[in-house]
Amino acid sequence: MRIAIAGASGTVGRHAVRAATERGHEVVALTRASGVNVLDTSAVRVALDGVDAVVDVLNIMTPSARKATGFFTAATMSLLDAGAQAGVRHHVALSIVGIDRAPHGYYAAKLAQEQAVAAGSVLWTVQRATQFHDFAALMYGILHAGPFRFAPRGRVRPVDTGELGEYLVVLAEGEPQGIAPDFAGPREESLARMVQDYARAQGYRRKVPEISVPGALGRAQRDGSLLPRPGAVLAERTFDEWLEKR
Ligand SMILES: NC(=O)c1ccc[n+]([C@@H]2O[C@H](COP(=O)([O-])OP(=O)(O)OC[C@H]3O[C@@H](n4cnc5c(N)ncnc54)[C@H](OP(=O)(O)O)[C@@H]3O)[C@@H](O)[C@H]2O)c1
């Protein structure tokens, strides 16, 4: 098959590229660095020539919910419009477990993306996944004041991006499913403990105190809203295995 991966150089995207190549597919990378801005529908249309399936693992890093919603909606509509013109048979979009229970901020943007996917004219699968193991690194990088680092309280079931990238390619090979069962890691972890362990592995020697992140998103993180529903597909690699490998 010819599979286009939108966000091919990202945390998940590079694993999807590797998996697709290993599984014998021809990969078309859609990233700005490779010369295709997904917001430019004509450029996407040209890039999707002969493509059977699109895997969307795009991302935007912004604290603005409005900006994130604008990006995910416009990028999705562009991929779907160009995809319909090019005869793409399956659009697979990566989303996040629990966003319907916590439709705030960045998660509201991901919900808007899901709605745009469902409204488009290419048959689709939305795969919701739990937080990545790398989420610990992200939180470690964000939550600091001067030399002090903080560990946010939260209930998560983190997943390995290598396993997720491969799973998305397997989905793209198959039939469109609409909203697929959640994809999650093998066990629930304390987000604070993950960040503390990550800090130690980075050589950080001070204590990393736990904090409760204020606001609706912080609450959702703590109250279990972001845990998978029963019937989720479970990956195998644990956070400890991921950390050891790094
Ligand atoms: N972090 C988590 O725990 C988590 C959990 C579940 C789901 N997710 C979802 O997973 C998805 C992927 O996240 P990630 O962390 O793997 O992403 P990432 O590492 O931030 O990578 C983003 C990718 O998008 C590309 N991109 C951005 N803007 C573009 C544009 N206008 N045109 C073309 N390409 C563009 C980037 O390449 P260029 O910069 O070269 O354009 C890059 O390849 C996100 O949608 C996120 O919501 C995340």
Side-chain angles (χ1 to χ4, degrees), residues 6-14 30-34 36-39 56-61 71-72 94-97 106 110 113 129-132 135 138 164:
S9 58
T11 309
V12 182
R14 53 180 171 259
L30 307 180
T31 62
R32 287 167 299 182
S34 64
V36 185
N37 186 332
V38 293
L39 302 176
D56 175 0
V57 284
L58 293 163
N59 196 22
I60 182 169
M61 296 285 259
F71 172 75
F72 281 119
L94 178 59
S95 189
I96 305 177
V97 165
Y106 178 86
K110 293 296 290 182
Q113 177 187 10
T130 51
Q131 283 64 43
F132 306 158
F135 198 61
L138 188 71
L164 176 59

Side-chain angles (χ1 to χ4, degrees), residues 65 95-112 114 128 131 215-227 229:
S95 189
I96 305 177
V97 165
I99 54 173
D100 44 343
R101 285 165 277 176
H104 317 291
Y106 178 86
Y107 291 167
K110 293 296 290 182
L111 262 188
E114 289 188 359
R128 292 177 173 171
Q131 283 64 43
L217 278 184
R219 255 195 319 279
Q221 207 159 260
R222 290 189 295 280
D223 71 10
S225 295
L226 304 183
L227 294 173
R229 293 181 177 83

Side-chain angles (χ1 to χ4, degrees), residues 172-188:
E173 292 167 355
E175 293 302 313
Q177 298 185 28
I179 300 258
D182 293 343
F183 190 76
R187 65 179 192 217
E188 184 177 332

Side-chain angles (χ1 to χ4, degrees), residues 25-175:
H25 301 302
E26 187 187 336
V27 172
V28 175
L30 307 180
T31 62
R32 287 167 299 182
S34 64
V36 185
N37 186 332
V38 293
L39 302 176
D40 176 353
T41 310
S42 335
V44 179
R45 166 67 193 89
V46 172
L48 292 186
D49 237 6
V51 163
D52 302 290
V54 170
V55 174
D56 175 0
V57 284
L58 293 163
N59 196 22
I60 182 169
M61 296 285 259
T62 170
S64 158
R66 196 181 48 80
K67 222 168 154 186
T69 302
F71 172 75
F72 281 119
T73 308
T76 297
M77 287 167 62
S78 177
L79 286 173
L80 291 170
D81 287 350
Q85 289 170 37
V88 168
R89 289 185 286 106
H90 191 180
H91 180 93
V92 178
L94 178 59
S95 189
I96 305 177
V97 165
I99 54 173
D100 44 343
R101 285 165 277 176
H104 317 291
Y106 178 86
Y107 291 167
K110 293 296 290 182
L111 262 188
Q113 177 187 10
E114 289 188 359
Q115 283 154 8
V117 170
S121 43
V122 177
L123 295 174
W124 55 277
T125 300
V126 165
Q127 180 60 62
R128 292 177 173 171
T130 51
Q131 283 64 43
F132 306 158
H133 294 322
D134 313 65
F135 198 61
L138 188 71
M139 291 294 109
Y140 176 76
I142 291 174
L143 293 175
H144 62 86
F148 303 105
R149 305 274 177 172
F150 303 98
R153 295 189 181 92
R155 297 180 61 190
V156 289
R157 191 154 176 152
V159 75
D160 185 82
T161 47
E163 289 176 278
L164 176 59
E166 178 164 14
Y167 190 71
L168 292 171
V169 171
V170 173
L171 280 179
E173 292 167 355
E175 293 302 313

